Amino acid sequence: DTAVSQTPKYLVTQMGNDKSIKCEQNLGHDTMYWYKQDSKKFLKIMFSYNNKELIINETVPNRFSPKSPDKAHLNLHINSLELGDSAVYFCASSHVRSGANVLTFGAGSRLTVL
Amino acid sequence: DQQVKQNSPSLSVQEGRISILNCDYTNSMFDYFLWYKKYPAEGPTFLISISSIKDKNEDGRFTVFLNKSAKHLSLHIVPSQPGDSAVYFCAAHSGAGSYQLTFGKGTKLSVIP
């Protein structure tokens, strides 16, 4: 009964390919996110959606396109994969607790581009 | 430009002792601070938070202290247990409910039995 589930957990692919990562949350949260954790271990926000509307769009190449068909789902599609896209991608959803924006993360999807 | 800094990449502590994880921030607009714990091959999980109107928040074995003048916060774990071995991330945002959360690089805590 996972709160935030993302698939696949591991993805190995060749440069130039297109791939997607899917994310679903059953917490009833209105806001969902994609974060990237690169080799330097920083967790950086890429996108955020609130009730299917894009609210945060950080400086990310156009090859990355998020899609939110409903507020429980946020998918990430990546075109023309490059070596530098290799990272762990975390999906998250959030609620506010005493003013703090508390994120619940999925287990991550490790993308390796060869 | 790291706005949230965790300068110790790792920390080792004996079981039963206190673990102190430190975090510094540069953005004076930050007013909510959170700590997350991350096990290998899992996503970060929320531990505890504090707002800038407080200087201490406690939840069981976990206490977070905030020193606004020094732009410094710390997470104390007492007593430390082997299951606490994980990477701990400090995070911050400005404004209640703000979606823009900034994370530190993490500190790997090892609790030795």
Side-chain angles (χ1 to χ4, degrees), chain B residues 10-15 19 21 80-82 84-88 107-113:
Chain B
S10 61
L11 174 68
S12 288
V13 171
Q14 284 291 130
E15 181 179 2
S19 295
L21 297 124
S80 301
Q81 299 172 355
D84 297 328
S85 297
V87 177
Y88 289 78
T107 296
K108 184 176 182 180
L109 173 66
S110 299
V111 179
I112 304 158

PDB file of all heavy atoms in Angstrom, chain B residues 10-15 19 21 80-82 84-88 107-113:
ATOM      1  N   SER B  10      29.919  13.000   6.584  1.00  0.00           N
ATOM      2  CA  SER B  10      29.650  11.779   7.334  1.00  0.00           C
ATOM      3  C   SER B  10      29.913  11.993   8.820  1.00  0.00           C
ATOM      4  O   SER B  10      30.641  12.915   9.219  1.00  0.00           O
ATOM      5  CB  SER B  10      30.521  10.625   6.812  1.00  0.00           C
ATOM      6  OG  SER B  10      31.879  10.931   6.975  1.00  0.00           O
ATOM      7  N   LEU B  11      29.305  11.099   9.607  1.00  0.00           N
ATOM      8  CA  LEU B  11      29.417  11.177  11.067  1.00  0.00           C
ATOM      9  C   LEU B  11      29.258   9.769  11.615  1.00  0.00           C
ATOM     10  O   LEU B  11      28.354   9.036  11.196  1.00  0.00           O
ATOM     11  CB  LEU B  11      28.303  12.080  11.610  1.00  0.00           C
ATOM     12  CG  LEU B  11      28.145  12.203  13.119  1.00  0.00           C
ATOM     13  CD1 LEU B  11      29.334  12.943  13.705  1.00  0.00           C
ATOM     14  CD2 LEU B  11      26.845  12.931  13.464  1.00  0.00           C
ATOM     15  N   SER B  12      30.142   9.388  12.537  1.00  0.00           N
ATOM     16  CA  SER B  12      30.022   8.076  13.195  1.00  0.00           C
ATOM     17  C   SER B  12      29.803   8.278  14.681  1.00  0.00           C
ATOM     18  O   SER B  12      30.501   9.088  15.303  1.00  0.00           O
ATOM     19  CB  SER B  12      31.294   7.250  12.988  1.00  0.00           C
ATOM     20  OG  SER B  12      31.383   6.807  11.670  1.00  0.00           O
ATOM     21  N   VAL B  13      28.844   7.527  15.232  1.00  0.00           N
ATOM     22  CA  VAL B  13      28.484   7.674  16.641  1.00  0.00           C
ATOM     23  C   VAL B  13      28.268   6.285  17.239  1.00  0.00           C
ATOM     24  O   VAL B  13      27.760   5.389  16.562  1.00  0.00           O
ATOM     25  CB  VAL B  13      27.196   8.521  16.763  1.00  0.00           C
ATOM     26  CG1 VAL B  13      26.661   8.522  18.178  1.00  0.00           C
ATOM     27  CG2 VAL B  13      27.437   9.939  16.299  1.00  0.00           C
ATOM     28  N   GLN B  14      28.642   6.138  18.514  1.00  0.00           N
ATOM     29  CA  GLN B  14      28.369   4.877  19.203  1.00  0.00           C
ATOM     30  C   GLN B  14      26.880   4.779  19.547  1.00  0.00           C
ATOM     31  O   GLN B  14      26.236   5.790  19.893  1.00  0.00           O
ATOM     32  CB  GLN B  14      29.166   4.810  20.517  1.00  0.00           C
ATOM     33  CG  GLN B  14      30.655   4.518  20.349  1.00  0.00           C
ATOM     34  CD  GLN B  14      30.920   3.110  19.866  1.00  0.00           C
ATOM     35  OE1 GLN B  14      31.663   2.922  18.920  1.00  0.00           O
ATOM     36  NE2 GLN B  14      30.325   2.126  20.503  1.00  0.00           N
ATOM     37  N   GLU B  15      26.390   3.562  19.484  1.00  0.00           N
ATOM     38  CA  GLU B  15      25.009   3.319  19.891  1.00  0.00           C
ATOM     39  C   GLU B  15      24.792   3.820  21.314  1.00  0.00           C
ATOM     40  O   GLU B  15      25.634   3.626  22.201  1.00  0.00           O
ATOM     41  CB  GLU B  15      24.715   1.814  19.819  1.00  0.00           C
ATOM     42  CG  GLU B  15      23.294   1.438  20.201  1.00  0.00           C
ATOM     43  CD  GLU B  15      23.036  -0.055  20.084  1.00  0.00           C
ATOM     44  OE1 GLU B  15      23.973  -0.809  19.735  1.00  0.00           O
ATOM     45  OE2 GLU B  15      21.887  -0.473  20.311  1.00  0.00           O
ATOM     46  N   SER B  19      23.693  11.832  18.644  1.00  0.00           N
ATOM     47  CA  SER B  19      24.132  12.220  17.293  1.00  0.00           C
ATOM     48  C   SER B  19      23.696  13.657  17.069  1.00  0.00           C
ATOM     49  O   SER B  19      22.541  14.007  17.353  1.00  0.00           O
ATOM     50  CB  SER B  19      23.482  11.350  16.214  1.00  0.00           C
ATOM     51  OG  SER B  19      23.895  10.014  16.317  1.00  0.00           O
ATOM     52  N   LEU B  21      23.611  16.453  14.063  1.00  0.00           N
ATOM     53  CA  LEU B  21      23.804  16.755  12.637  1.00  0.00           C
ATOM     54  C   LEU B  21      23.564  18.244  12.438  1.00  0.00           C
ATOM     55  O   LEU B  21      22.575  18.784  12.937  1.00  0.00           O
ATOM     56  CB  LEU B  21      22.840  15.923  11.791  1.00  0.00           C
ATOM     57  CG  LEU B  21      23.085  14.422  11.925  1.00  0.00           C
ATOM     58  CD1 LEU B  21      21.849  13.703  12.371  1.00  0.00           C
ATOM     59  CD2 LEU B  21      23.562  13.854  10.608  1.00  0.00           C
ATOM     60  N   SER B  80      21.115   7.367  20.158  1.00  0.00           N
ATOM     61  CA  SER B  80      21.267   6.875  18.785  1.00  0.00           C
ATOM     62  C   SER B  80      21.135   5.363  18.748  1.00  0.00           C
ATOM     63  O   SER B  80      21.591   4.660  19.665  1.00  0.00           O
ATOM     64  CB  SER B  80      22.643   7.281  18.240  1.00  0.00           C
ATOM     65  OG  SER B  80      22.777   8.678  18.262  1.00  0.00           O
ATOM     66  N   GLN B  81      20.504   4.883  17.683  1.00  0.00           N
ATOM     67  CA  GLN B  81      20.298   3.437  17.505  1.00  0.00           C
ATOM     68  C   GLN B  81      20.854   3.023  16.145  1.00  0.00           C
ATOM     69  O   GLN B  81      20.889   3.847  15.215  1.00  0.00           O
ATOM     70  CB  GLN B  81      18.797   3.111  17.577  1.00  0.00           C
ATOM     71  CG  GLN B  81      18.150   3.470  18.901  1.00  0.00           C
ATOM     72  CD  GLN B  81      16.642   3.311  18.882  1.00  0.00           C
ATOM     73  OE1 GLN B  81      16.049   3.009  17.837  1.00  0.00           O
ATOM     74  NE2 GLN B  81      16.013   3.498  20.029  1.00  0.00           N
ATOM     75  N   PRO B  82      21.251   1.768  15.991  1.00  0.00           N
ATOM     76  CA  PRO B  82      21.783   1.330  14.687  1.00  0.00           C
ATOM     77  C   PRO B  82      20.832   1.602  13.525  1.00  0.00           C
ATOM     78  O   PRO B  82      21.266   1.912  12.418  1.00  0.00           O
ATOM     79  CB  PRO B  82      22.001  -0.171  14.903  1.00  0.00           C
ATOM     80  CG  PRO B  82      22.273  -0.301  16.361  1.00  0.00           C
ATOM     81  CD  PRO B  82      21.376   0.732  17.023  1.00  0.00           C
ATOM     82  N   ASP B  84      19.181   4.114  13.034  1.00  0.00           N
ATOM     83  CA  ASP B  84      19.267   5.524  12.638  1.00  0.00           C
ATOM     84  C   ASP B  84      20.321   5.742  11.559  1.00  0.00           C
ATOM     85  O   ASP B  84      20.417   6.841  11.003  1.00  0.00           O
ATOM     86  CB  ASP B  84      19.616   6.405  13.847  1.00  0.00           C
ATOM     87  CG  ASP B  84      18.542   6.371  14.917  1.00  0.00           C
ATOM     88  OD1 ASP B  84      17.356   6.222  14.569  1.00  0.00           O
ATOM     89  OD2 ASP B  84      18.902   6.495  16.112  1.00  0.00           O
ATOM     90  N   SER B  85      21.122   4.737  11.265  1.00  0.00           N
ATOM     91  CA  SER B  85      22.155   4.856  10.236  1.00  0.00           C
ATOM     92  C   SER B  85      21.485   5.110   8.893  1.00  0.00           C
ATOM     93  O   SER B  85      20.724   4.285   8.388  1.00  0.00           O
ATOM     94  CB  SER B  85      22.999   3.572  10.168  1.00  0.00           C
ATOM     95  OG  SER B  85      23.680   3.367  11.384  1.00  0.00           O
ATOM     96  N   ALA B  86      21.772   6.270   8.320  1.00  0.00           N
ATOM     97  CA  ALA B  86      21.107   6.718   7.096  1.00  0.00           C
ATOM     98  C   ALA B  86      21.763   8.027   6.671  1.00  0.00           C
ATOM     99  O   ALA B  86      22.638   8.551   7.361  1.00  0.00           O
ATOM    100  CB  ALA B  86      19.614   6.933   7.343  1.00  0.00           C
ATOM    101  N   VAL B  87      21.310   8.554   5.546  1.00  0.00           N
ATOM    102  CA  VAL B  87      21.721   9.903   5.138  1.00  0.00           C
ATOM    103  C   VAL B  87      20.635  10.873   5.587  1.00  0.00           C
ATOM    104  O   VAL B  87      19.448  10.624   5.362  1.00  0.00           O
ATOM    105  CB  VAL B  87      21.929   9.997   3.613  1.00  0.00           C
ATOM    106  CG1 VAL B  87      22.278  11.436   3.209  1.00  0.00           C
ATOM    107  CG2 VAL B  87      23.034   9.040   3.171  1.00  0.00           C
ATOM    108  N   TYR B  88      21.046  11.951   6.234  1.00  0.00           N
ATOM    109  CA  TYR B  88      20.111  12.950   6.736  1.00  0.00           C
ATOM    110  C   TYR B  88      20.232  14.225   5.918  1.00  0.00           C
ATOM    111  O   TYR B  88      21.320  14.781   5.768  1.00  0.00           O
ATOM    112  CB  TYR B  88      20.374  13.242   8.215  1.00  0.00           C
ATOM    113  CG  TYR B  88      19.961  12.077   9.087  1.00  0.00           C
ATOM    114  CD1 TYR B  88      20.774  10.953   9.199  1.00  0.00           C
ATOM    115  CD2 TYR B  88      18.742  12.083   9.766  1.00  0.00           C
ATOM    116  CE1 TYR B  88      20.390   9.862   9.969  1.00  0.00           C
ATOM    117  CE2 TYR B  88      18.349  11.003  10.535  1.00  0.00           C
ATOM    118  CZ  TYR B  88      19.176   9.895  10.632  1.00  0.00           C
ATOM    119  OH  TYR B  88      18.788   8.819  11.380  1.00  0.00           O
ATOM    120  N   THR B 107      24.140  14.370   5.166  1.00  0.00           N
ATOM    121  CA  THR B 107      25.196  13.849   6.034  1.00  0.00           C
ATOM    122  C   THR B 107      24.888  12.388   6.296  1.00  0.00           C
ATOM    123  O   THR B 107      23.784  12.047   6.719  1.00  0.00           O
ATOM    124  CB  THR B 107      25.250  14.603   7.380  1.00  0.00           C
ATOM    125  OG1 THR B 107      25.588  15.967   7.144  1.00  0.00           O
ATOM    126  CG2 THR B 107      26.278  13.979   8.316  1.00  0.00           C
ATOM    127  N   LYS B 108      25.887  11.539   6.057  1.00  0.00           N
ATOM    128  CA  LYS B 108      25.695  10.109   6.285  1.00  0.00           C
ATOM    129  C   LYS B 108      26.037   9.779   7.729  1.00  0.00           C
ATOM    130  O   LYS B 108      27.180   9.958   8.160  1.00  0.00           O
ATOM    131  CB  LYS B 108      26.574   9.298   5.339  1.00  0.00           C
ATOM    132  CG  LYS B 108      26.356   7.795   5.464  1.00  0.00           C
ATOM    133  CD  LYS B 108      27.165   7.043   4.440  1.00  0.00           C
ATOM    134  CE  LYS B 108      26.914   5.531   4.536  1.00  0.00           C
ATOM    135  NZ  LYS B 108      27.687   4.770   3.536  1.00  0.00           N
ATOM    136  N   LEU B 109      25.041   9.330   8.479  1.00  0.00           N
ATOM    137  CA  LEU B 109      25.227   8.955   9.874  1.00  0.00           C
ATOM    138  C   LEU B 109      25.391   7.448   9.996  1.00  0.00           C
ATOM    139  O   LEU B 109      24.582   6.686   9.450  1.00  0.00           O
ATOM    140  CB  LEU B 109      24.026   9.403  10.710  1.00  0.00           C
ATOM    141  CG  LEU B 109      24.000   8.935  12.165  1.00  0.00           C
ATOM    142  CD1 LEU B 109      25.143   9.566  12.955  1.00  0.00           C
ATOM    143  CD2 LEU B 109      22.653   9.253  12.820  1.00  0.00           C
ATOM    144  N   SER B 110      26.443   7.040  10.682  1.00  0.00           N
ATOM    145  CA  SER B 110      26.649   5.619  10.971  1.00  0.00           C
ATOM    146  C   SER B 110      26.628   5.445  12.479  1.00  0.00           C
ATOM    147  O   SER B 110      27.434   6.076  13.190  1.00  0.00           O
ATOM    148  CB  SER B 110      27.996   5.132  10.418  1.00  0.00           C
ATOM    149  OG  SER B 110      28.041   5.289   9.023  1.00  0.00           O
ATOM    150  N   VAL B 111      25.705   4.634  12.966  1.00  0.00           N
ATOM    151  CA  VAL B 111      25.622   4.356  14.399  1.00  0.00           C
ATOM    152  C   VAL B 111      26.214   2.975  14.627  1.00  0.00           C
ATOM    153  O   VAL B 111      25.711   1.970  14.118  1.00  0.00           O
ATOM    154  CB  VAL B 111      24.168   4.419  14.900  1.00  0.00           C
ATOM    155  CG1 VAL B 111      24.127   4.110  16.393  1.00  0.00           C
ATOM    156  CG2 VAL B 111      23.566   5.793  14.612  1.00  0.00           C
ATOM    157  N   ILE B 112      27.279   2.956  15.407  1.00  0.00           N
ATOM    158  CA  ILE B 112      28.043   1.725  15.603  1.00  0.00           C
ATOM    159  C   ILE B 112      27.536   0.979  16.827  1.00  0.00           C
ATOM    160  O   ILE B 112      27.489   1.553  17.917  1.00  0.00           O
ATOM    161  CB  ILE B 112      29.530   2.070  15.763  1.00  0.00           C
ATOM    162  CG1 ILE B 112      30.005   2.869  14.548  1.00  0.00           C
ATOM    163  CG2 ILE B 112      30.371   0.816  15.948  1.00  0.00           C
ATOM    164  CD1 ILE B 112      31.235   3.684  14.814  1.00  0.00           C
ATOM    165  N   PRO B 113      27.150  -0.307  16.655  1.00  0.00           N
ATOM    166  CA  PRO B 113      26.625  -1.072  17.802  1.00  0.00           C
ATOM    167  C   PRO B 113      27.693  -1.301  18.862  1.00  0.00           C
ATOM    168  O   PRO B 113      28.884  -1.365  18.566  1.00  0.00           O
ATOM    169  CB  PRO B 113      26.201  -2.404  17.167  1.00  0.00           C
ATOM    170  CG  PRO B 113      26.112  -2.145  15.714  1.00  0.00           C
ATOM    171  CD  PRO B 113      27.084  -1.034  15.408  1.00  0.00           C
TER     172      PRO B 113
END
